[in-house]
Amino acid sequence: AQKITQTQPGMFVQEKEAVTLDCTYDTSDPSYGLFWYKQPSSGEMIFLIYQGSYDQQNATEGRYSLNFQKARKSANLVISASQLGDSAMYFCAMREGGNDNNDMRFGAGTRLTVKP
Amino acid sequence: SAVISQKPSRDICQRGTSLTIQCQVDSQVTMMFWYRQQPGQSLTLIATANQGSEATYESGFVIDKFPISRPNLTFSTLTVSNMSPEDSSIYLCSVIPNRWGHEQYFGPGTRLTVT
């Protein structure tokens, strides 16, 4: 069974600094996708970034980058130049197999607080 | 991307009653799902809504408690039946627009409180 682990229940970062949110995963499937979502207090789930298991380069989307270390099965999210609006819950998720597999599983989440 | 709306956005319901949540997508999508997020918890997949056939439920979720319909490629409903306070959660609709893409999007959620 696949498993997603986020070991940081809460993180604090100073505004304008970078922060790394940790995520490790466990799967025996060679084909999988890794996702990060942001959930502000409003409750919506905002898609941030995606990394495929066969992707050669780390994914980047604006201030978000994914530090993908396949051998270590880690997919840490790096947020550069933190902003107050980045304060939210962040969830790491994984979906195994090809696109016919709908089984996206989520980690427990990390609550990020950006300090002014 | 896909624009997803859910109705109602929130509700307070009495124990023993049922609530039907609607999910509408602005375009035809390959796959639709329903998730539950209990207070302070992560998301848990309830079921995959299959168009024209019975939904596929995850372990711990049953059709009698969470009947799901998906009459077409843009719409689905989730009913929470015979509610108890333990059903108080956010219920989220999610879609994969394109079977050949990886994107998966979520609706704004329905906040349910059962008293």
Side-chain angles (χ1 to χ4, degrees), chain B residues 39-96:
Chain B
Q41 303 294 314
S42 186
L43 278 74
T44 301
L45 179 64
I46 297 173
T48 302
N50 299 310
Q51 193 232 339
S53 64
E54 189 174 292
T56 305
Y57 290 84
E58 295 298 304
S59 176
F61 298 96
V62 295
I63 188 171
D64 290 346
K65 175 67 176 177
F66 298 101
I68 289 171
S69 77
R70 187 180 174 190
N72 56 52
L73 293 176
T74 64
F75 184 79
S76 177
T77 65
L78 167 73
T79 299
V80 186
S81 304
N82 188 24
M83 287 184 283
S84 67
E86 292 71 35
D87 294 320
S88 298
S89 297
I90 299 174
Y91 292 86
L92 297 109
C93 174
S94 180
V95 305
I96 296 177

Side-chain angles (χ1 to χ4, degrees), chain A residues 16-91:
Chain A
K16 299 181 184 178
E17 294 188 348
V19 62
T20 298
L21 306 183
D22 295 342
C23 174
T24 58
Y25 59 92
D26 183 27
T27 180
S28 57
D29 196 321
S31 176
Y32 53 89
L34 297 158
F35 303 75
W36 277 92
Y37 288 86
K38 172 184 178 181
Q39 188 179 43
S41 57
S42 59
E44 61 185 314
M45 292 288 286
I46 303 169
F47 168 73
L48 295 179
I49 196 167
Y50 166 83
Q51 180 85 43
S53 60
Y54 295 118
D55 293 344
Q56 295 296 314
Q57 293 186 323
N58 288 343
T60 61
E61 290 286 347
R63 294 187 299 111
Y64 304 108
S65 61
L66 200 151
N67 184 0
F68 181 44
Q69 299 189 39
K70 194 170 183 176
R72 297 179 58 183
K73 294 187 176 178
S74 74
N76 298 338
L77 177 70
V78 180
I79 305 174
S80 62
S82 297
Q83 302 172 357
L84 295 178
D86 293 334
S87 293
M89 283 291 291
Y90 288 81
F91 291 97

